[in-house]
Amino acid sequence: MTRKDTAQKKHPFDIVTAEFAGAIARPEDEKTLPVLGAEVAFAGRSNVGKSSLINTLAARRGLVRVSSTPGCTRQINFFNARARDELNLVLVDLPGYGFARRSKTERAEWATLIENYLAKRSTLRALVVLVDARRGVEDDDKELIDFMNAARKSPTGILCVATKLDKVPASKRAQAIQAVRKSAGVPAVGFSSETREGFDACWRAIRHAAGFTIAADATNLPVEGA
Ligand code: GTP
Ligand code: MG
């Protein structure tokens, strides 16, 4: 399937409107955030592609700031997104972990901020853990998954997304995703923000992890302007 074909298909999970909804930089600020809908949080090492994934999933190039410098996202950013089937989801961009060039105090503050959010936020329905498809699941990622399983009283769906799939030779992609699935112990899909490979599978897996079914698949809807 070509990139054009994928882009033209319409799905119930496509995001039709998305906007910045707020940010928190300290744990105590969480209370100030309005509850807009079920939240899906994106976590992973610095530079793994969290902000890019959110932009691609929301089909908004400039919604979230992306940078080649690790440590770009330094607070928790919330984006309100409405899907074609009218499901409202809040996409939550978390600061990356594993970035060594920060002071110990700063890293500890970030850990507190992220852990507090992940453990306590009542509207959090799914955690998406991004790993680089070339590197697979690393210790920090495993720790996060273990933390999440231990911290949450109500079950929260956990999903692994193997990013930068375009950097893995096509013949090795299925194997790389399978390896991530096995070592993470949670469902995994592959994704590329460059080519949009894995776009549909990723949305379906996120919906599933968050406990939302996709009622009718509208892939055959006519394309606007075609
Ligand atoms: P922090 O905010 O620092 O934690 O980083 P992040 O995880 O949000 O990563 P971000 O989306 O800012 O992307 C980091 C770099 O990787 C940027 O230069 C992106 O263009 C690049 N990148 C992200 N996703 C992909 C991908 O799927 N393929 C390729 N080739 N590059 C990607
Ligand atoms: Mg970022």
Side-chain angles (χ1 to χ4, degrees):
M1 189 182 288
T2 65
R3 188 177 171 165
K4 199 160 165 255
D5 291 337
T6 318
Q8 282 188 342
K9 287 242 167 91
K10 286 197 170 192
H11 301 286
F13 48 76
D14 290 334
I15 299 301
V16 288
T17 61
E19 74 270 326
F20 178 69
I24 53 171
R26 296 172 309 164
E28 56 271 30
D29 294 341
E30 190 223 299
K31 294 185 277 299
T32 63
L33 272 173
V35 170
L36 298 163
E39 291 172 13
V40 176
F42 297 81
R45 295 177 75 84
S46 278
N47 216 41
V48 73
K50 299 174 292 297
S51 301
S52 302
L53 175 65
I54 295 175
N55 278 336
T56 308
L57 287 177
R60 297 288 183 289
R61 196 174 283 270
L63 183 68
V64 193
R65 202 173 144 238
V66 168
S67 164
S68 55
T69 314
C72 169
T73 308
R74 304 181 67 153
Q75 49 188 11
I76 305 183
N77 290 311
F78 295 76
F79 301 90
N80 195 24
R82 180 166 282 270
R84 196 181 306 284
D85 66 0
E86 300 197 341
L87 177 69
N88 216 83
L89 286 176
V90 181
L91 309 178
V92 182
D93 192 15
L94 297 171
Y97 47 77
F99 182 45
R101 247 186 303 147
R102 293 259 176 260
S103 73
K104 217 172 164 186
T105 322
E106 204 172 8
R107 273 186 281 158
E109 277 169 15
W110 286 5
T112 311
L113 177 68
I114 296 170
E115 285 172 9
N116 188 71
Y117 169 80
L118 290 177
K120 299 197 184 139
R121 185 76 172 167
S122 60
T123 39
L124 179 63
R125 296 287 290 270
L127 172 67
V128 181
V129 180
L130 282 76
V131 301
D132 190 312
R134 296 164 296 181
R135 298 167 66 152
V137 178
E138 298 180 80
D139 289 349
D140 285 349
D141 309 314
K142 197 80 190 100
E143 272 170 33
L144 174 66
I145 294 169
D146 291 345
F147 169 84
M148 201 59 187
N149 280 325
R152 300 287 295 185
K153 286 185 197 77
S154 57
T156 308
I158 306 177
L159 168 71
C160 244
V161 173
T163 57
K164 306 195 184 182
L165 204 60
D166 55 287
K167 302 266 195 190
V168 175
S171 61
K172 300 233 166 79
R173 287 178 194 163
Q175 200 183 322
I177 299 164
Q178 185 58 30
V180 167
R181 192 173 294 138
K182 210 170 157 204
S183 47
V186 298
V189 293
F191 191 84
S192 166
S193 295
E194 285 285 309
T195 63
R196 292 178 88 253
E197 181 173 346
F199 180 88
D200 294 4
C202 193
W203 257 130
R204 287 179 204 282
I206 289 173
R207 287 278 192 124
H208 186 76
F212 295 108
T213 51
I214 303 167
D217 203 322
T219 48
N220 294 323
L221 281 178
V223 180
E224 264 162 19

